[in-house]
Amino acid sequence: MTDLLYSEEEEALRSAVRDLLTDHCDAPGVIARTESDAPHDLAAWKALADGMGLAGLLVPEELGGQGASHREVAVVLEELGRAVAPVPYLTSAVVATEALLACGDEELLARLASGRTIGALAVGLHVAPGAAFKTVRVEGGLLHGGLTGIADAVAADVLLVPGDDGGLYAVEAGVVSVTPQVAFDLTRPLATVTLDGAAGRRVGDAEPAVRRALRAGAGLLAAEQFGVAEWALTETVRYLKERKQFNRPVGGFQALKHRLAQLWLEVVNLRAAARGAADALASGEDADVLVAVAQAYAGPVAVHAAEEALQLHAGIGMTWEHPIHLYLKRAKADATAFGTAGAHREALAELVDLQAP
């Protein structure tokens, strides 16, 4: 029987991460950062990755990591979602790290585990696990071509680029051109990466590495989406207890109680789905199925939670000063990251041999 409850160690980790994010990622600070030329909070990243050692959770101890599991990473991502923290944790500590674990590149893994090097897998954020992905041309050991929709590429020190010869290449960010794209979610910026004869070092085979990285990314993204949804629900309940109309709290009105009860059910179901995916990734049992279940469910729930928060805050969330718009944008962008809910439902139907009518 799988235990999806949080262990004491996981709760202690949550508490430590939440305290750190309270200090580093307050809402006015995150909003101000999205309006600046430097969307990433590298001080918060340094504190998380270097100070707390969280960049190396998935990396074995003998390679300089913490030797923890996807369950602990999921707890960190729940808190990062709750703070819409603009740090490259999912992209570097999960996706790029998983790709390198599949390749067995110890030197680069140790660099990523330390947190002093930020990695990014040069595959579009929209690509689902198992789907086709773009490659660049490899000629005489040099890479040529362009890739779009690469999350957190602007912060990366090393890019992991799939080549048309089936290899995955580590390319230092200094030898490629990274052009920011207009992204809906300003806290997770996207970029176009252009390689014009860039030198790369082959670290392994692209296909299994990308597949493993995207599966872990999709599964653990559900934890982030749960964090976003839970923040939206908690803040909305708190606000409705304070806001008065006809001299009584708005939260006492029957119609709003029903909406919040429905949302609470969706959010706790999302937590179960996200925990199931994280536990399956940690154990390796039924991971494909449970990741697809989590992603088929997570996107619509996180978006619904953020939309309800916006509406039940009586529209104040449309003002730039209130952080709700950041959560709605993160929820909307996450709903298409690593494949849409529809794509995951189709994948799930195939995995369990359930034919469409």
Side-chain angles (χ1 to χ4, degrees):
M1 179 66 184
T2 302
D3 184 4
L4 298 185
L5 298 175
Y6 300 100
S7 67
E8 280 183 33
E9 292 82 3
E10 287 165 356
E11 289 294 4
L13 174 62
R14 177 194 308 288
S15 179
V17 174
R18 190 175 294 190
D19 288 348
L20 186 149
L21 292 173
T22 302
D23 292 342
H24 279 278
C25 291
D26 62 314
V30 175
I31 292 169
R33 195 166 284 287
T34 62
E35 296 173 329
S36 74
D37 293 332
H40 289 101
D41 189 337
L42 294 179
W45 167 255
K46 190 171 173 21
L48 281 164
D50 203 3
M52 292 179 71
L54 299 182
L57 283 181
L58 292 175
V59 179
E61 287 183 50
E62 61 269 20
L63 299 180
Q66 305 297 323
S69 80
H70 300 79
R71 289 175 61 115
E72 287 81 8
V73 174
V75 169
V76 175
L77 280 164
E78 285 177 21
E79 292 306 313
L80 293 176
R82 194 176 277 113
V84 283
V87 293
Y89 190 84
L90 182 68
T91 41
S92 184
V94 177
V95 178
T97 296
E98 284 275 356
L100 289 170
L101 284 167
C103 296
D105 191 282
E106 297 185 4
E107 181 264 336
L108 200 43
L109 268 172
R111 281 170 58 191
L112 259 60
S114 73
R116 288 187 275 277
T117 294
I118 295 171
L121 180 67
V123 172
L125 185 61
H126 62 283
V127 178
F133 51 88
K134 268 189 79 175
T135 59
V136 298
R137 200 171 80 253
V138 182
E139 260 180 40
L142 299 179
L143 309 177
H144 304 263
L147 300 159
T148 57
I150 311 302
D152 293 335
V154 288
D157 304 299
V158 176
L159 292 155
L160 302 175
V161 183
D164 62 1
D165 62 348
L168 188 67
Y169 290 84
V171 181
E172 298 297 325
V175 300
V176 303
S177 166
V178 177
T179 311
Q181 289 176 254
V182 177
F184 188 60
D185 174 11
L186 299 172
T187 61
R188 181 172 283 143
L190 304 176
T192 297
V193 174
T194 309
L195 302 101
D196 188 11
R201 177 172 66 82
R202 185 174 173 134
V203 292
D205 296 334
E207 184 68 39
V210 170
R211 186 179 289 265
R212 173 172 170 170
L214 296 186
R215 184 178 75 169
L220 292 168
L221 178 69
E224 178 187 290
Q225 289 166 300
F226 166 65
V228 168
E230 194 181 45
W231 178 91
L233 176 62
T234 305
E235 284 301 302
T236 305
V237 170
R238 189 177 62 76
Y239 176 75
L240 293 181
K241 284 178 179 174
E242 294 170 0
R243 172 91 193 273
K244 288 193 166 59
Q245 205 170 17
F246 309 120
N247 212 25
R248 56 182 281 202
V250 177
F253 294 125
Q254 191 79 10
L256 298 192
K257 282 183 178 178
H258 282 306
R259 283 170 69 170
L260 290 171
Q262 176 60 36
L263 190 57
W264 181 83
L265 282 173
E266 291 179 19
V267 172
V268 293
N269 284 338
L270 171 52
R271 175 167 56 199
R275 291 294 290 166
D279 187 73
L281 286 166
S283 69
E285 289 179 33
D286 291 330
D288 287 340
V289 170
L290 286 163
V291 166
V293 167
Q295 272 310 315
Y297 190 71
V301 171
V303 170
H304 182 217
E307 286 175 344
E308 286 287 75
L310 178 64
Q311 197 171 49
L312 295 175
H313 274 77
I316 64 166
M318 282 307 286
T319 62
W320 207 247
E321 294 75 26
H322 197 286
I324 285 184
H325 66 93
L326 294 177
Y327 289 86
L328 180 56
K329 288 167 185 166
R330 172 65 70 91
K332 282 282 203 188
D334 280 357
T336 57
F338 304 112
T340 60
H344 286 281
R345 277 195 292 273
E346 283 180 22
L348 180 61
E350 256 181 59
L351 285 165
V352 298
D353 201 24
L354 187 66
Q355 299 307 313

